[in-house]
Amino acid sequence: MNADIALFVTRRFTIRLSATPRGARLARRLTAEQVDGWGWPYDSEANRTATLLVAELATNA
């Protein structure tokens, strides 16, 4: 067996959000929290960008 084989674990998170301003707000908050969990703090440019993208998608959905 090859010792260089990497195993990847895929996790999936699914949540249904309402098509209201409240649902969009929750999508933004969940995104900010997840990106922070990946190592980009709330005040980082990456976190702000990801949150903005999700906000746009959730608002237009």
Side-chain angles (χ1 to χ4, degrees), residues 23-54:
R25 185 172 59 246
L26 182 57
R28 287 191 305 269
R29 292 180 59 116
L30 290 170
T31 301
E33 186 173 327
Q34 182 61 56
V35 174
D36 180 63
W38 287 336
W40 289 293
Y42 290 103
D43 61 348
S44 70
E45 188 65 30
N47 197 310
R48 286 191 296 269
T49 301
T51 303
L52 177 63
L53 289 171
V54 168

Side-chain angles (χ1 to χ4, degrees), residues 2 6 21-22 26 34 46 57:
N2 190 347
R22 183 179 182 200
L26 182 57
Q34 182 61 56
L57 290 172

